[in-house]
Amino acid sequence: MARATALTPLGVAALSLLVEEPMHPYEMYQLLIARHEDRLVKVRPGTLYHAVGRLEEQGLVAATGTDRGGNRPERTTYTISAAGREAFTKWLQDMLAAPVNEYPSFPLAISEAYNLPAGVVVELLERRLQALQEQLDFLVSGEELLKKKGVERKYWIDVQYQQCTLQAEIAWVRTLQVQLRSGELPW
Amino acid sequence: MARATALTPLGVAALSLLVEEPMHPYEMYQLLIARHEDRLVKVRPGTLYHAVGRLEEQGLVAATGTDRGGNRPERTTYTISAAGREAFTKWLQDMLAAPVNEYPSFPLAISEAYNLPAGVVVELLERRLQALQEQLDFLVSGEELLKKKGVERKYWIDVQYQQCTLQAEIAWVRTLQVQLRSGELPW
DNA sequence: CCCCGAATACTCCACGTGGAATAATCTTTA
DNA sequence: TAAAGATTATTCCACGTGGAGTATTCGGGG
């Protein structure tokens, strides 16, 4: 149980699953994929084992028993501890209350865009707009599906958030494109 | 000159400076800070030296001369190569044309928010709103300043982009908060 | 009934990052 | 004018990530 290093997003996702019930890393992996949580956290088998291992070192989870299904390699089941629950809700509260700069690369790219001729930028943005629109359509149809299935809305507010930010980006890129084409924005 | 590993954001920032003129890593550091580019890329002295070293290994920049000012440690000046220019514009084009998921943690946090009582979430969001508003005000006054100074707009479109996305987030968080308070969104 | 590929369940290594450490020199203040 | 602190310029180490690698076992087609 070393000192409390900051939780990583994947660690948080793991804790969140262990709040529901004890399980082994591979089951976490399957659940995260099945629930499409890999759209919110980067999920990689190797990283997941490391993440859970670290959680154990920090005393946030504990290995409780090892069953072996068939003759497969032994699976270690982990259970969340009281400290784990606390760290989890603390992370949640911090992340909800305080915005953190995570340095997305698109802002950097547009801030450097003056290095390219205006015509090229217009064309590149066109491609981006297409991709963004596809993402948005996907989210909208996903929402449709969730509604139809009757899943409670509190379980998928993130879908609405992503829609909202996507729409904002689309709108902004579109006006930039227009201003570049018309020459309203000197390049 | 190893194979072409993907450029890191800091590597891109370094290349961008070397397009202007040859310089040594510490000068890059000072320039990035002076120009407030540390709002777009994570700039850390240690990381910068590593980044430039890697650029050199990849043949994107070359060490050209070492002057020593006073009796300070020797400073190695780097110059961008043709391959460097190419890699730089390629990165730019890719990042402008194709959106990439960078897994910000706020979406994860809201997707897990149902683990907290509604009242607490409302209060946490209030704090977030305050912080977001401050950031927005900062950006607006920054824009004011740039306009007054007469800096060409193509050099600071990122400021407008950030304003736009910030506004979208503020609006969304606010409506979520309202829906939580009114009970319109069952928790 | 046997082989091939997918799934299961993990391990390991190379890389990039961040923060601390270092060491010299310049500036400021008492 | 001497000590304290900031600046210059860089190195080093520990950590987290991602991707490839491994070994076993289950399921389906010829």
Side-chain angles (χ1 to χ4, degrees):
Chain A
M1 190 191 315
R3 91 208 155 296
T5 304
L7 288 179
T8 67
L10 190 54
V12 172
L15 285 179
S16 161
L17 291 176
L18 291 179
V19 165
E20 295 177 30
E21 62 170 338
M23 59 181 86
H24 53 94
Y26 192 74
E27 192 179 351
M28 293 180 201
Y29 179 74
Q30 292 176 108
L31 265 177
L32 289 173
I33 299 297
R35 295 186 184 175
H36 306 287
E37 288 228 32
D38 54 329
R39 295 191 313 104
L40 298 172
V41 258
K42 218 179 287 180
V43 180
R44 208 66 42 159
T47 314
L48 184 53
Y49 284 93
H50 283 313
V52 173
R54 245 174 299 132
L55 291 177
E56 190 182 13
E57 276 165 32
Q58 297 171 220
L60 305 181
V61 304
T64 56
T66 56
D67 76 273
R68 65 259 138 249
N71 266 11
R72 296 290 175 71
E74 237 180 26
R75 303 174 303 188
T76 317
T77 302
Y78 291 89
T79 308
I80 192 169
S81 71
R85 281 168 204 278
E86 202 180 320
F88 175 64
T89 58
K90 171 145 189 346
W91 184 91
L92 253 186
Q93 290 174 345
D94 290 351
M95 283 304 158
L96 287 172
V100 290
N101 189 353
E102 289 169 287
Y103 305 94
S105 42
F106 183 59
L108 176 59
I110 43 176
S111 88
E112 301 282 357
Y114 65 86
N115 287 288
L116 298 173
V120 173
V121 174
V122 168
E123 199 217 320
L124 293 169
L125 292 182
E126 185 57 39
R127 291 208 266 140
R128 168 170 279 261
L129 279 171
Q130 238 131 63
L132 290 174
Q133 191 58 54
E134 264 170 49
Q135 281 183 30
L136 185 56
D137 293 346
F138 179 76
L139 284 176
V140 170
S141 61
E143 188 183 359
E144 218 79 347
L145 209 85
L146 286 162
K147 263 188 204 151
K148 208 161 277 173
K149 277 202 200 161
V151 183
E152 279 185 73
R153 197 172 132 225
K154 65 172 171 172
Y155 293 126
W156 44 273
I157 34 176
D158 60 287
V159 175
Q160 302 188 316
Y161 174 77
Q162 309 252 46
Q163 279 181 28
C164 167
T165 55
L166 256 180
Q167 274 162 358
E169 182 174 340
I170 289 175
W172 187 84
V173 172
R174 202 155 264 157
T175 64
L176 175 60
Q177 213 191 19
V178 168
Q179 292 178 354
L180 278 175
R181 266 204 266 256
S182 72
E184 184 188 335
L185 171 50
W187 209 251
Chain B
M1 191 193 308
R3 94 213 153 290
T5 304
L7 289 178
T8 67
L10 191 53
V12 172
L15 285 178
S16 161
L17 291 176
L18 292 179
V19 166
E20 296 177 29
E21 61 169 339
M23 58 181 85
H24 52 94
Y26 192 74
E27 192 179 351
M28 294 180 200
Y29 179 73
Q30 291 174 108
L31 264 178
L32 289 173
I33 298 297
R35 294 184 186 176
H36 306 288
E37 287 227 35
D38 54 330
R39 296 191 312 104
L40 298 173
V41 259
K42 219 178 286 180
V43 181
R44 208 66 42 157
T47 313
L48 183 54
Y49 284 91
H50 283 313
V52 174
R54 245 174 299 134
L55 292 177
E56 190 182 15
E57 277 165 32
Q58 295 170 220
L60 306 181
V61 305
T64 55
T66 56
D67 77 273
R68 64 263 137 245
N71 267 13
R72 294 291 175 72
E74 236 180 27
R75 303 174 302 189
T76 317
T77 301
Y78 291 89
T79 307
I80 192 168
S81 70
R85 280 168 206 277
E86 203 181 318
F88 175 63
T89 58
K90 172 145 191 348
W91 184 91
L92 254 186
Q93 289 173 347
D94 289 352
M95 282 305 158
L96 287 173
V100 290
N101 189 352
E102 289 170 288
Y103 305 94
S105 42
F106 182 59
L108 176 59
I110 44 176
S111 88
E112 301 283 355
Y114 66 86
N115 286 289
L116 298 173
V120 173
V121 175
V122 168
E123 198 216 322
L124 294 168
L125 292 182
E126 185 58 39
R127 291 209 265 141
R128 168 170 280 260
L129 279 172
Q130 238 130 63
L132 290 174
Q133 191 60 55
E134 265 169 49
Q135 282 184 28
L136 185 57
D137 293 347
F138 180 76
L139 284 176
V140 171
S141 62
E143 187 182 359
E144 217 79 346
L145 211 83
L146 286 162
K147 263 188 206 153
K148 206 161 280 173
K149 277 202 200 161
V151 183
E152 278 185 74
R153 196 171 134 225
K154 65 171 173 173
Y155 293 126
W156 44 273
I157 34 176
D158 61 287
V159 175
Q160 301 188 317
Y161 174 77
Q162 310 252 43
Q163 279 181 28
C164 167
T165 55
L166 255 179
Q167 274 162 357
E169 181 173 341
I170 288 175
W172 187 85
V173 171
R174 202 156 262 156
T175 64
L176 174 61
Q177 211 192 20
V178 167
Q179 292 178 355
L180 277 175
R181 264 204 267 255
S182 71
E184 184 188 336
L185 171 50
W187 208 251

